């Protein structure tokens, strides 16, 4: 529509200059044409909403165009793009009034240009064109509003479904944990209580039986402690529990430690166990960097390859000699053994590359085949 306006404006100016020799009004026509083109160019900058600046701009454009039509009726057909501009900017009633005024100017201009006397087509054609333009715009606007409403409903429905799925997942996990705790920890504690009560009752009369009850209670307590540790190990970290996914959780951890974060490759879904392990490794590695490396910068890189996912943690700290630390294990601090155990449980490898004075790069690689098989 913008292109059509400038084409009609240029054609009208060309028609006027070709059919009329240079005369007193010609400089005004040329100047007003340039002013109208410049004003029209400001339209997209002001947006399409009916703000006071936008309405003032539209009023100025229409006034300059009307003045041009009075001086040179051949500029009348520039009204068609102005129809759409007015309807996009003004409320419906005000837009209809503007269309009627523009149409009246077009009819007047066509009658003035007619050299063969009165022609009914000159009176009927402009209103018909205005009616068609208005109908097309109203229909397109209704279609756009309908599509926008459908898109909003789709987005709202998708969000509601996602929220329902999260709630159902949370309830299912709570139910699973409650059943696990009831079947293991609660029953174990109940057995311990009864055994200790029995030991207390028989402590003086039958010491050997009392000691046997205490030893049994101790064995149950040991099993319960192992179960509690398993629960803690299986629970997702807090950053993952917020529902943002592994990438968002790593980005949060990196932000807390003022480290850079980047993702390479096309992400693939990973089971919660693998996500939890990678996040714990990132947390432990960044803690080591903060406490031992003396680094000025660190960076996390999560890379998805065809057959594995790799997490790299690099820093520019003081570094160390992996072969001389911990019997060749490259243990720096107390976090690396736990990291190695986590990666080993998933069939992966943990590699530490470091040189004194040149920083450290820690890489945890987990095979995708293992992670995909581990998915529920």
């Amino acid at each position: 529509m913008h292109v059509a306006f400038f084409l009609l404006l240029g054609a009208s100016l060309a028609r006027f200059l070709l059919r009329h020799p240079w005369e007193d009004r010609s400089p005004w026509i040329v100047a007003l044409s340039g002013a109208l083109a410049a004003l029209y160019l400001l339209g997209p900058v002001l947006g399409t909403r009916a703000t006071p600046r936008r309405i003032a701009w539209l009023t100025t454009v229409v006034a300059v165009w009307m003045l041009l039509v009075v001086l040179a009726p051949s500029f009348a057909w520039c009204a068609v793009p102005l129809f759409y501009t007015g309807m996009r900017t003004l409320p419906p009633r005000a837009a209809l009034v503007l269309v009627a005024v523009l149409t009246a100017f077009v009819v007047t201009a066509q009658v003035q240009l007619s050299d063969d006397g009165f022609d009914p087509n000159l009176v009927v054609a402009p209103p018909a064109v205005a009616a068609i333009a208005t109908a097309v715009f109203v229909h397109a606007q209704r279609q756009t509003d309908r599509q926008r409403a459908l898109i909003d409903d789709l987005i709202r429905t998708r969000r509601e479904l996602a929220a329902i799925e999260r709630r159902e997942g949370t309830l299912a996990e709570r139910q699973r944990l409650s059943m696990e705790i009831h079947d293991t920890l609660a029953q174990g504690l109940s057995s311990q209580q009864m055994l200790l009560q029995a030991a207390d009752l028989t402590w003086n009369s039958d010491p050997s039986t009392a000691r046997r009850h205490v030893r049994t209670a101790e064995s149950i307590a040991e099993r319960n402690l192992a179960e509690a540790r398993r629960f803690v190990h299986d629970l997702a970290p807090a950053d993952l529990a917020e529902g943002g996914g592994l990438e968002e959780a790593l980005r949060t951890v990196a932000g807390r430690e003022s480290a850079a974060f980047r993702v390479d490759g096309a992400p693939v879904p990973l089971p919660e166990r693998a996500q939890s392990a990678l996040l714990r490794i990132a947390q432990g590695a960044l803690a080591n960097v903060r406490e031992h490396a003396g680094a000025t910068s660190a960076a996390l890189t999560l890379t998805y390859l065809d057959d594995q996912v790799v997490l790299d943690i690099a820093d520019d700290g003081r570094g160390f000699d992996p072969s001389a630390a911990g019997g060749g294990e490259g243990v720096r601090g107390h976090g690396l053994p736990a990291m190695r155990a986590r990666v080993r449980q998933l069939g992966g490898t943990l590699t530490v590359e470091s040189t004194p004075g040149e920083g450290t790069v820690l890489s945890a690689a987990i095979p995708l085949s293992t992670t995909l098989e581990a998915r529920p």
Side-chain angles (χ1 to χ4, degrees):
M1 197 59 62
H2 296 329
V3 173
F5 175 82
F6 288 107
L7 287 176
L8 290 171
L9 182 62
S12 301
L13 180 59
R15 182 182 186 278
F16 174 81
L17 295 177
L18 289 174
R19 296 204 173 191
H20 300 276
W22 192 261
E23 52 190 38
D24 293 340
R25 59 175 177 166
S26 296
W28 290 101
I29 298 296
V30 174
L32 288 173
S33 298
L36 183 59
L39 285 171
Y40 196 86
L41 285 173
L42 292 176
V45 178
L46 300 177
T48 59
R49 299 179 62 183
T51 60
R53 293 177 58 188
R54 176 76 176 180
I55 295 176
W57 167 83
L58 180 61
T59 303
T60 305
V61 169
V62 172
V64 174
W65 172 80
M66 288 180 175
L67 184 58
L68 262 176
V69 173
V70 171
L71 295 176
S74 59
F75 286 86
W77 286 107
C78 293
V80 176
L82 294 181
F83 288 164
Y84 287 98
T85 302
M87 287 185 287
R88 290 183 64 193
T89 303
L90 300 175
R93 292 185 179 180
L96 291 178
V97 172
L98 177 62
V99 169
V101 173
L102 296 178
T103 303
F105 265 78
V106 172
V107 171
T108 303
Q110 292 301 306
V111 171
Q112 291 179 359
L113 290 174
S114 176
D115 298 329
D116 300 329
F118 178 76
D119 185 351
N121 285 333
L122 300 180
V123 179
V124 176
V129 171
I132 293 173
T134 303
V136 169
F137 177 83
V138 171
H139 178 72
Q141 192 68 30
R142 288 177 178 175
Q143 289 291 105
T144 301
D145 294 340
R146 190 176 297 113
Q147 291 178 359
R148 186 179 294 111
L150 290 175
I151 292 173
D152 292 340
D153 288 341
L154 178 61
I155 293 174
R156 183 169 56 255
T157 302
R158 183 182 300 173
R159 290 175 178 172
E160 290 175 354
L161 288 175
I164 291 173
E165 290 178 356
R166 285 195 297 270
R167 286 196 297 270
E168 289 179 350
T170 301
L171 292 176
E173 182 65 13
R174 288 179 177 177
Q175 184 178 7
R176 184 188 71 82
L177 287 175
S178 66
M179 294 174 61
E180 290 269 1
I181 293 172
H182 175 269
D183 294 339
T184 56
L185 297 181
Q187 291 186 359
L189 291 172
S190 177
S191 299
Q192 291 177 59
Q193 182 183 21
M194 289 188 296
L195 288 168
L196 292 175
Q197 288 175 350
D200 183 57
L201 293 175
T202 60
W203 192 266
N204 294 324
S205 60
D206 191 355
S208 61
T209 302
R211 291 189 182 92
R212 188 171 62 253
H213 289 332
V214 171
R215 286 194 295 270
T216 304
E218 181 182 5
S219 176
I220 294 174
E222 184 178 358
R223 288 198 300 270
N224 278 3
L225 179 60
E227 288 291 343
R229 287 173 176 169
R230 182 178 65 85
F231 291 155
V232 172
H233 181 271
D234 290 341
L235 287 175
D239 291 316
L240 282 176
E242 294 176 0
L246 177 60
E247 291 82 7
E248 189 63 29
L250 288 174
R251 184 174 288 106
T252 301
V253 171
R256 284 200 297 261
E257 298 292 343
S258 300
F261 175 69
R262 187 179 76 235
V263 178
D264 291 334
V268 297
L270 299 176
E272 291 182 0
R273 186 180 178 188
Q275 294 185 48
S276 177
L278 291 174
L279 182 59
R280 292 303 192 197
I281 290 170
Q283 292 172 333
L286 289 176
N288 278 348
V289 171
R290 181 181 67 251
E291 296 173 5
H292 306 295
T296 58
S297 64
L300 270 69
T301 304
L302 183 64
T303 305
Y304 292 93
L305 303 176
D306 293 336
D307 58 345
Q308 62 182 352
V309 57
V310 181
L311 176 65
D312 296 320
I313 303 97
D315 68 80
D316 61 351
R318 61 175 61 94
F320 66 105
D321 185 2
S323 62
E329 287 295 317
V331 178
R332 174 170 144 189
H334 299 286
L336 284 180
M339 298 179 198
R340 291 187 188 280
R342 290 182 186 277
V343 175
R344 192 179 300 114
Q345 289 174 357
L346 294 171
T349 58
L350 186 74
T351 305
V352 179
E353 299 177 0
S354 182
T355 302
E358 296 183 7
T360 302
V361 177
L362 183 146
S363 297
I366 299 176
L368 287 178
S369 58
T370 303
T371 59
L372 292 178
E373 290 174 359
R375 291 182 66 188

